[in-house]
Amino acid sequence: MFTGRHHAFEVSIQTDSIPIIGEDFTLVCSFTPETIYKHLVWKKGENIQVASHSCWRSLYYCPVNSIPFPLKFSLKTDNSSGNLTIRNLNEDDISDYRCSLSSGEISGSAIKQVKPLTPDPPNRILITAGRKTLYCFNNVSVTAGKQHNITCESMWSRPPAILKWRIPECVPAVVQDQSDVIHGNFYISRKTVTITPSKDNDGKILSCTASHPELEKELNCSMDLKVQVWPMNMLLFTTGGNQSQLTDIYVQEDSPTSITCKAIGSFPAVDLPVSFPYGSDIIPITNSSKNSSLFDEKLFDTDTTIKIYPKKTDHGKYIRCYAFMDSEVVGLESAKLMVYGLQSIKCLYFSITSEA
């Protein structure tokens, strides 16, 4: 836009909230370029001036504000904006509001309609953990010693609901500030707590409440912590032998051999299946057990023992042992099968006796 040979001000009006009956509401009038010396006017409807700001080089005091209705309106200005706040909105405030700016020969203006809406309470609250929506009165699985963000959400209210977390003192937690996001003519409010649980926090209850002027009583959403302790260690070894992790397991061809996978120090006890190479002729016979851990009686040690009948074709293939909690892999160990036959032993014995 041009005014004579001078560029006009670019003026826009934004809002960061929803106009709600009974609430205060601010219209943000922004303009470029910045200027100290200006005349800014807010008008309601056709020609009702509700606020103005003047600042000229000739004035001894700058700025000068004029608010004809100080109980209803207030004005805040700087070099790039002039914000009008309407107090205690009601139906009489429904109107167009125009922000006009001039400085010397250049000017600009913008207009925005204000239509206050009635207050509305939230229709529900829910809890999310990561990307998983839990709703209310359910369990949430968390891992001991790891940080977890758990968010309480209040849906579809005007004005925003006030969210509050109630957390047992024994649960290490940091509560973050509430955020309020506008969706259409409503707010979705969120408040996140970051917890770092220990195994002793298993079964503790976390609650979130939402309060609102239109609610007779608070909405409540709670959940039980289901604290998981992942295995401290996993071992794969020949049954009856030294309980240490083996990278190679030596087995005799066509000779039944037992192999044990062990997960140490988990809570709860893990599912511990053993997988075999695709196309293998190994036929397993499986047995599983769980016992209190030697390291901590609140934890479990889990064993899975398999009996195999290896073939020469299985030589160099891997046996893998997986630890599962809630269908999630929380541990993995593997070892290579080294299959030898009787002929190999005879050749080795012949070689040794020949050298002797």
Side-chain angles (χ1 to χ4, degrees):
M1 294 186 296
F2 293 90
T3 302
R5 293 178 297 172
H6 301 275
H7 289 284
F9 284 106
E10 292 185 10
V11 182
S12 63
I13 299 175
Q14 296 90 27
T15 60
D16 57 4
S17 61
I18 299 170
I20 302 170
I21 291 176
E23 300 283 320
D24 294 349
F25 182 66
T26 297
L27 295 161
V28 179
C29 178
S30 302
F31 50 84
T32 57
E34 294 187 3
T35 179
I36 298 175
Y37 303 107
K38 58 188 174 294
H39 182 57
L40 185 145
V41 177
W42 275 100
K43 289 185 177 181
K44 174 184 176 181
E46 292 297 326
N47 201 30
I48 301 174
Q49 182 170 311
V50 295
S52 67
H53 163 93
S54 298
C55 184
W56 306 115
R57 287 182 176 87
S58 59
L59 294 175
Y60 291 103
Y61 174 74
C62 182
V64 175
N65 289 342
S66 174
I67 313 291
F69 311 101
L71 297 180
K72 188 65 180 177
F73 299 97
S74 64
L75 181 65
K76 184 177 180 180
T77 63
D78 56 29
N79 295 342
S80 61
S81 65
N83 305 337
L84 179 71
T85 297
I86 310 171
R87 297 192 178 99
N88 193 20
L89 282 172
N90 56 52
E91 293 183 354
D92 293 335
D93 298 316
I94 299 175
S95 185
D96 292 334
Y97 290 80
R98 179 183 295 274
C99 175
S100 301
L101 182 74
S102 61
S103 180
E105 297 182 15
I106 62 174
S107 63
S109 67
I111 191 169
K112 186 172 184 64
Q113 185 184 59
V114 174
K115 187 176 181 179
L117 302 172
T118 57
D120 221 346
N123 63 4
R124 60 172 174 159
I125 60 173
L126 54 86
I127 291 175
T128 60
R131 297 180 179 178
K132 185 177 181 180
T133 301
L134 304 172
Y135 298 99
C136 299
F137 314 112
N138 287 321
N139 296 329
V140 58
S141 295
V142 292
T143 304
K146 293 188 176 182
Q147 287 190 344
H148 297 269
N149 291 329
I150 302 174
T151 302
C152 179
E153 296 189 8
S154 165
M155 312 298 291
W156 316 120
S157 67
R158 288 193 305 261
I162 304 301
L163 301 178
K164 181 182 294 185
W165 275 104
R166 294 174 179 170
I167 303 166
E169 291 183 1
C170 60
V171 179
V174 177
V175 181
Q176 302 175 19
D177 292 336
Q178 178 171 322
S179 64
D180 304 305
V181 180
I182 296 173
H183 284 263
N185 289 325
F186 295 93
Y187 287 96
I188 294 179
S189 301
R190 298 181 177 93
K191 195 163 192 174
T192 299
V193 60
T194 301
I195 64 171
T196 309
S198 68
K199 66 179 184 296
D200 296 328
N201 298 145
D202 185 64
K204 298 300 181 182
I205 298 175
L206 275 62
S207 297
C208 175
T209 60
S211 58
H212 191 275
E214 298 299 309
L215 286 174
E216 293 184 2
K217 62 180 181 178
E218 295 177 334
L219 297 180
N220 181 70
C221 190
S222 63
M223 63 175 192
D224 294 343
L225 287 182
K226 183 180 179 183
V227 181
Q228 298 177 343
V229 180
W230 290 8
M232 294 184 290
N233 197 9
M234 290 185 63
L235 306 174
L236 198 57
F237 53 90
T238 53
T239 306
N242 185 25
Q243 292 191 14
S244 59
Q245 174 58 33
L246 300 177
T247 55
D248 297 330
I249 295 180
Y250 290 86
V251 292
Q252 183 179 328
E253 179 187 2
D254 290 326
S255 176
T257 303
S258 292
I259 297 173
T260 297
C261 178
K262 189 180 189 73
I264 300 173
S266 71
F267 183 85
V270 296
D271 294 323
L272 204 63
V274 179
S275 71
F276 302 96
Y278 178 77
S280 174
D281 292 330
I282 296 175
I283 302 174
I285 300 173
T286 305
N287 181 46
S288 296
S289 64
K290 65 177 180 179
N291 299 285
S292 295
S293 177
L294 297 176
F295 297 95
D296 187 333
E297 64 180 9
K298 295 182 180 179
L299 304 180
F300 291 97
D301 292 344
T302 305
D303 295 343
T304 295
T305 299
I306 61 170
K307 183 176 287 187
I308 61 174
Y309 297 84
K311 305 293 184 182
K312 286 190 295 184
T313 54
D314 298 317
H315 180 76
K317 295 182 178 180
Y318 283 87
I319 291 181
R320 290 182 173 85
C321 179
Y322 296 88
F324 283 91
M325 283 186 181
D326 290 339
S327 302
E328 179 184 2
V329 177
V330 297
L332 167 65
E333 280 297 344
S334 62
K336 184 190 293 185
L337 285 179
M338 306 300 288
V339 182
Y340 60 88
L342 292 176
Q343 187 63 35
S344 300
I345 296 176
K346 291 178 180 179
C347 291
L348 179 60
Y349 175 77
F350 178 77
S351 175
I352 294 173
T353 55
S354 296
E355 291 179 2

